Amino acid sequence: MNDMRQELIQTRGSAAFAFDAEVSIELAPAQARTFAPQADCFPLGSRVFLTHLPGKPEALQIEAARRIKELGFVPVPHLGARNFNSERDYVDLVTAHSRNGISEALFLGGNPALFPGPLGEATQLLAHPVVKDSTIQTAFVAGYPEGHPSIVEAVLTDALRRKLDICAERSLEARIVSQFAFDGDMIAAWASTLHAAHPGLPVHVGLAGVTSLTKLIRFAMMCGVGPSIAALRRSASGLFNIVADRSPAEILQTMAASYPAPTGPLHLHFFPFGGWEKTLAWFSDYREACWPQVNER
């Protein structure tokens, strides 16, 4: 961690004004049981996204969201359309979260090409009457800085427009949270394009947390992150670079240089593949080293 911090100090100030201080993190529901970050690493009121994986009991997500809320954070449960065996399962999950006062959720289509239930797209979830009757007020939808491996760009653009239209009709605050990527220029261009097309739309940029290069590449391949893997591999030279922990500092620096004055809200969302403790500790050092202006607010 000290080596990474020294690297950040050498580039002090380079990313100081590029991003809002708001940060979120993603956990599996089981991780919520031991989630207890220090306030200087992860302030109260920050968002904690909770995954929705096929085959896992949805009661785990319900309990995790309840606990995260009790800790003083904002739980954002994933709702994956293709993970529901029936429409009733979806209604029951949203209803359970509403009983606990959950106010935000991420609406996803999901990955399986073949799925058991009648729901296959995020638009179906957003348009369902249960959302209108729920406590959900903020709807996150997915973004893809380098495109989707099985959906062409025109279809992605149209799907986003339809999701935003439904949110507007339902008086839901819409936000974008992206898949992680490793090419800072590509991420910056994507965020800039979104802000130009949808003024005022908050964009939460997905970043892989602190972990080894081998783990990053493995998770990237599992999640369908393709083109920017090359940026990772180019930076690997020698055994130490392969096994040593890597932070997203270089990506942030590149993004700041490519998009120095964001025209809309721009936030950070971490996928902590190496563990939430390691990523949040690194980010606390990052704020101290590179964002003194943020810390003085």
Side-chain angles (χ1 to χ4, degrees):
M1 187 66 67
N2 290 335
D3 290 339
M4 286 189 289
R5 188 176 183 187
Q6 183 61 39
E7 179 186 32
L8 296 178
I9 292 173
Q10 292 172 357
T11 59
R12 184 181 179 121
S14 61
F17 299 104
F19 309 107
D20 191 282
E22 187 176 320
V23 172
S24 58
I25 198 163
E26 184 157 311
L27 302 177
Q31 293 176 294
R33 298 169 185 165
T34 57
F35 186 68
Q38 298 295 317
D40 59 342
C41 292
F42 197 64
L44 293 177
S46 299
R47 291 180 171 90
V48 179
F49 287 65
L50 298 166
T51 59
H52 180 209
L53 300 176
K56 298 292 185 180
E58 285 157 356
L60 292 178
Q61 191 194 69
I62 296 167
E63 176 58 25
R66 185 192 63 77
R67 183 179 190 278
I68 292 298
K69 188 171 185 287
E70 289 179 349
L71 290 173
F73 303 106
V74 178
V76 186
H78 293 201
L79 301 173
R82 300 184 181 190
N83 293 341
F84 294 107
N85 291 319
S86 68
E87 183 180 345
R88 171 52 57 185
D89 288 343
Y90 172 56
V91 170
D92 287 347
L93 183 55
V94 173
T95 301
H97 283 313
S98 291
R99 283 196 295 268
N100 292 328
I102 304 306
S103 60
E104 304 193 5
L106 168 58
F107 295 83
L108 299 163
N111 292 321
L114 299 175
F115 46 96
L119 302 171
E121 297 183 359
T123 51
Q124 292 174 286
L125 302 184
L126 286 165
H128 196 284
V130 72
V131 175
K132 185 176 181 180
D133 297 331
S134 74
T135 57
I136 296 173
Q137 300 174 352
T138 298
F140 281 84
V141 296
Y144 303 92
E146 57 183 31
H148 192 284
S150 58
I151 305 174
V152 299
E153 190 62 30
V155 174
L156 281 178
T157 300
D158 181 66
L160 176 59
R161 178 192 57 77
R162 289 187 288 123
K163 293 170 192 175
L164 296 180
D165 286 347
I166 294 171
C167 288
E169 292 166 3
R170 296 296 181 89
S171 298
L172 294 168
E173 179 194 10
R175 290 173 172 262
I176 303 287
V177 62
S178 83
Q179 177 62 279
F180 63 94
F182 305 107
D183 187 323
D185 288 322
M186 182 185 297
I187 297 170
W190 170 80
S192 176
T193 299
L194 269 182
H195 283 151
H198 307 283
L201 178 65
V203 175
H204 298 246
V205 172
L207 297 169
V210 177
T211 191
S212 68
L213 179 64
T214 52
K215 283 187 177 180
L216 286 178
I217 292 176
R218 185 171 78 248
F219 280 109
M221 295 179 69
M222 289 170 56
C223 297
V225 176
S228 65
I229 290 181
L232 272 183
R233 288 175 169 153
R234 283 195 301 269
S235 66
S237 57
L239 180 61
F240 177 76
N241 282 342
I242 293 175
V243 299
D245 280 341
R246 301 176 63 85
S247 81
E250 184 178 344
I251 300 172
L252 287 171
Q253 184 179 356
T254 302
M255 290 171 61
S258 295
Y259 195 20
T263 58
L266 193 61
H267 309 297
L268 304 179
H269 176 65
F270 288 112
F271 295 81
F273 300 125
W276 62 263
E277 300 95 335
K278 189 181 294 185
T279 290
L280 292 183
W282 168 82
F283 186 69
S284 180
D285 287 343
Y286 183 85
R287 285 170 59 94
E288 181 181 344
C290 295
W291 290 7
Q293 296 87 349
V294 171
N295 291 328
E296 292 168 3
R297 289 179 185 173

